[in-house]
Amino acid sequence: MNWNSTQQLTNLKKDVAQLYNRVNQEIYGVGVKKQRIEISQNKLLIFAQHKRVPALQTLSKNYQELTTSVDAALIKEYKAKFKEQIELIFGLRVITILKDYDPITEKAFTIVYFKEEV
């Protein structure tokens, strides 16, 4: 599917932002503080400012190895759910989703690679 008009791309960005926040709330129990979405060819880039889950914030002081493992597991679950929802809602075929999160700054970066150009 080719989202070739400016209005279609604007709507796609808005809808993806809402989906990103909703999946975040489902997985982490909190929404994101802010996010910015960019689209380039077959890639969707999401820059987000998150709110750290309070329990993980507390544990990270004395159990950094544990919270690093939990963060990695939650990101894996997030990517699977987000991919499933993108494909279901937008009909776009996702090749892969890459995501990184820095618990200190609470910033995350997500790249969604689509099979075709959007």
Side-chain angles (χ1 to χ4, degrees), residues 3-21:
W3 302 72
N4 50 13
S5 80
T6 304
Q7 186 60 45
Q8 286 176 317
L9 286 176
T10 300
N11 289 341
L12 177 62
K13 288 179 182 181
K14 179 181 72 82
D15 293 343
V16 167
Q18 290 172 347
L19 176 63
Y20 184 90
N21 196 46

Side-chain angles (χ1 to χ4, degrees), residues 17-78:
Q18 290 172 347
L19 176 63
Y20 184 90
N21 196 46
R22 185 173 72 239
V23 173
N24 205 75
Q25 289 172 335
E26 289 175 18
I27 301 274
Y28 297 97
V30 294
V32 296
K33 292 179 182 177
K34 61 182 172 177
Q35 58 186 314
R36 188 179 88 237
I37 296 178
E38 296 178 11
I39 297 174
S40 176
Q41 299 172 354
N42 70 327
K43 293 170 284 306
L44 184 121
L45 312 164
I46 304 169
F47 303 87
Q49 178 72 42
H50 285 252
K51 181 170 174 27
R52 185 82 165 136
V53 175
L56 292 176
Q57 179 96 17
T58 300
L59 288 175
S60 67
K61 294 171 186 159
N62 294 314
Y63 303 97
Q64 187 173 7
E65 301 83 19
L66 174 64
T67 56
T68 299
S69 295
V70 170
D71 280 335
L74 288 169
I75 286 172
K76 187 173 182 179
E77 291 296 319
Y78 184 93

